[in-house]
């Protein structure tokens, strides 16, 4: 029997039980599609965070409280929170000559209301005007708030494009009053759209003077973080060292291995994000691989049933001279055909599913995952079909013919 005849017999065997064959292929289809889509979601999430970090600008440094995670193994036993005084110390040009500007931040989430329309703002930021340049946030309409607005704690705000659209629709928000968390703010500007497909929309934001947000929402305690802009991209490393020296003096720290704060550059943020995302993607891939394994077990189950049902047929074929290899090849061809068709349809479903946004993330397909998932599906068909095929090939003709 030549390979074409083996393939024709295998196709005929599967066609004899269309519903059963289709359900078995469905298991493989779901497994392959899950691998492609989940790995694409992990890759898309990584790309989104990377884009957001890069949009901060090449000169930006972020100072945050805490020394345990991502600080190179700090031995700090207690953590002193960051304060506005720390930010003022960093703004001293004699202590930190490579620092261009400093913007302390407090963040919270509040509900904004305008003319009966309510919207939960993702991030309400209280900061200084230097925040806009350091975070690469440009105004598309209106203007920024000024240092005078900060000194006088004026209730003014610059809002993101998503917030503007959700609250004001197509109307211009500049000059209008919006109530944020029960406090009325006058909108003085709308930021340019940054875009993003991650869990948090960077354009869903309200930026207001620091003392105004502290007075209305967070209180005058610790701040969330300090955004620092170095004088140039080449000055980020010396600026990072100056920040460390100044804050060690501010916090009374003498041991450089016991820092209770972190200074993160864009490069270190990208590195940390990359490590985190690899773990996330591997986890998603493992979950998807389990579903592919379950599909393979389904092939074994169905092929065992097929061998049992066709025992007499196997006996007749062996009685008229069919060698063991032909019987083995026929059932292996059936199991491989199941995984081949199921895997091909799974690739198609995975590529189509990856075109849709999933939980706010635009999936980015990894080409290797497509070929890899398809190859593994075919290998699974061969592996899980080998036991039923060996069982069929090992039947003795006389016992097979007696089978009822």
């Amino acid at each position: 029997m030549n390979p074409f005849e083996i393939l024709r017999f295998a196709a005929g065997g599967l066609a004899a039980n269309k519903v059963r064959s289709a359900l078995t292929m469905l298991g493989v289809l779901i497994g392959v599609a899950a691998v492609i889509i989940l790995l694409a979601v992990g890759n898309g999430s990584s790309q989104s965070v990377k884009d957001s970090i890069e949009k901060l600008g090449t000169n930006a440094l972020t100072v945050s409280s805490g020394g345990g995670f991502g600080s190179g193994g700090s031995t700090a036993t207690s953590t002193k929170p960051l304060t506005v005084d720390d930010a003022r110390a960093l703004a001293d040009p004699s202590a930190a000559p490579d620092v261009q500007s400093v913007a302390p931040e407090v963040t919270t989430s509040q509900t904004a209301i305008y003319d009966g329309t309510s919207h939960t703002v993702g991030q309400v930021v209280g900061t200084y005007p230097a925040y806009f340049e350091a975070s690469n946030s440009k105004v598309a309409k209106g203007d920024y708030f000024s240092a005078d607005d900060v000194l006088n704690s004026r209730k003014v705000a610059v809002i993101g494009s998503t917030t503007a659209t959700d609250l004001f629709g197509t109307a211009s928000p500049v000059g209008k009053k919006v109530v944020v968390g029960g406090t009325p703010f006058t909108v003085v500007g709308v930021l340019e759209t940054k875009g993003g497909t991650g869990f948090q929309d960077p354009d869903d934001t309200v930026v207001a003077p620091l003392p105004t947000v502290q007075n209305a929402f967070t209180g005058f305690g610790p701040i969330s973080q300090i955004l620092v802009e170095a004088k140039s991209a080449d000055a980020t490393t010396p600026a990072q060292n100056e920040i460390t020296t100044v804050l060690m003096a501010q916090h009374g720290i003498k041991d450089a291995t016991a820092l209770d704060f972190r200074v993160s550059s864009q490069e270190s943020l990208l590195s940390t994000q990359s490590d985190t995302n690899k773990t996330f993607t591997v986890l998603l891939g493992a979950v998807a691989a389990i579903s592919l394994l379950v599909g393979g077990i389904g092939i074994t189950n169905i092929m065992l049933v097929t061998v049992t049902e066709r025992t007499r047929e196997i006996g007749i074929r062996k009685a008229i001279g069919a060698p063991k290899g032909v019987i083995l090849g026929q059932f292996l061809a059936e199991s491989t055909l199941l995984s081949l068709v199921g895997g091909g349809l799974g690739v198609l479903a995975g590529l189509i599913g990856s075109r849709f946004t999933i939980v706010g993330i635009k999936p980015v397909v990894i080409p290797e995952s497509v070929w890899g998932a398809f190859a593994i599906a075919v290998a699974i068909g061969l592996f899980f079909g080998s036991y039923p095929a060996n069982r069929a090939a090992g039947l003795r003709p006389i016992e097979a013919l007696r089978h009822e």
Side-chain angles (χ1 to χ4, degrees):
M1 186 177 283
N2 60 43
F4 177 75
E5 287 178 315
I6 291 176
L7 192 62
R8 187 168 61 82
F9 270 94
L14 295 178
N17 294 285
K18 294 185 180 66
V19 175
R20 192 166 68 190
S21 300
L23 290 175
T24 307
M25 284 189 280
L26 183 63
V28 180
L29 184 156
I30 291 172
V32 171
V35 169
I36 295 171
I37 292 174
L38 290 183
L39 288 180
V41 168
N43 192 35
S45 172
S46 169
Q47 192 62 46
S48 170
V49 176
K50 183 181 175 185
D51 291 345
S52 299
I53 292 172
E54 287 178 347
K55 283 173 184 171
L56 281 175
T58 54
N59 303 355
L61 294 166
T62 304
V63 184
S64 50
S65 184
F69 178 74
S71 61
S74 171
T75 59
T77 55
S78 62
T79 300
K80 187 177 179 182
L82 294 172
T83 63
V84 175
D85 287 339
D86 291 332
R88 290 195 184 108
L90 294 176
D92 182 357
S94 61
D98 289 294
V99 170
Q100 176 72 27
S101 61
V102 177
E105 290 179 42
V106 292
T107 56
T108 182
S109 179
Q110 299 290 335
T111 299
I113 301 172
Y114 172 74
D115 197 22
T117 302
S118 176
H119 170 70
T120 301
V121 181
Q123 196 175 41
V124 177
V125 181
T127 186
Y128 289 172
Y131 168 86
F132 298 105
E133 187 174 351
S135 64
N136 202 22
S137 301
K138 297 184 174 75
V139 160
K141 295 177 185 174
D143 202 353
Y144 306 100
F145 59 76
S146 64
D148 191 54
D149 293 326
V150 175
L151 286 172
N152 292 286
S153 299
R154 292 196 180 105
K155 294 172 182 173
V156 293
V158 178
I159 63 177
S161 58
T162 299
T163 310
T165 303
D166 287 357
L167 284 175
F168 298 93
T170 56
S172 174
V174 178
K176 295 187 170 65
K177 283 189 182 297
V178 58
V179 178
V180 181
T183 302
F185 284 82
T186 301
V187 179
V188 295
V190 180
L191 296 173
E192 286 182 356
T193 300
K194 287 188 171 183
T197 56
F199 294 107
Q200 186 173 21
D201 182 357
D203 298 314
D204 188 15
T205 185
V206 171
V207 187
L210 176 66
T212 308
V213 175
Q214 287 178 312
N215 186 46
F217 310 121
T218 65
F220 292 89
I223 58 176
S224 305
Q225 64 179 19
I226 302 172
L227 190 59
V228 178
E229 184 187 14
K231 286 191 171 176
S232 67
D234 295 333
T236 52
T237 300
Q240 201 165 352
N241 295 332
E242 291 161 8
I243 291 167
T244 302
T245 303
V246 170
L247 289 185
M248 283 179 69
Q250 282 287 114
H251 291 200
I253 299 171
K254 298 187 183 302
D255 184 358
T257 64
L259 301 180
D260 62 354
F261 58 88
R262 298 188 301 272
V263 185
S264 307
S265 64
Q266 189 187 65
E267 186 179 351
S268 63
L269 284 173
L270 281 171
S271 176
T272 303
Q273 181 274 333
S274 177
D275 292 342
T276 305
N277 189 70
K278 279 179 184 172
T279 305
F280 179 59
T281 304
V282 168
L283 182 64
L284 289 177
V287 172
I290 290 172
S291 62
L292 196 53
L293 183 67
V294 171
I297 294 172
I299 289 178
T300 303
N301 186 37
I302 292 303
M303 292 308 298
L304 283 173
V305 172
T306 303
V307 169
T308 302
E309 288 179 348
R310 294 161 61 184
T311 301
R312 284 181 64 82
E313 175 196 326
I314 295 168
I316 293 169
R317 295 185 64 189
K318 296 194 87 171
I320 61 176
K324 185 178 177 180
V326 170
I327 305 296
L328 183 72
Q330 180 185 340
F331 283 93
L332 267 182
E334 287 189 21
S335 64
T336 306
L337 202 59
L338 280 172
S339 61
L340 201 65
V341 177
L345 293 174
V347 168
L348 192 62
L351 293 177
I352 293 173
S354 300
R355 299 178 68 85
F356 297 95
T357 300
I358 300 172
V359 290
I361 298 172
K362 180 65 180 171
V364 178
V365 174
I366 304 172
E368 291 83 0
S369 72
V370 177
W371 294 110
F374 183 72
I376 290 172
V378 175
I380 279 177
L382 276 170
F383 178 76
F384 284 94
S386 61
Y387 173 67
N390 269 311
R391 188 173 172 182
L395 287 173
R396 295 178 61 190
I398 189 67
E399 291 177 355
L401 289 170
R402 284 178 181 165
H403 183 77
E404 294 295 335

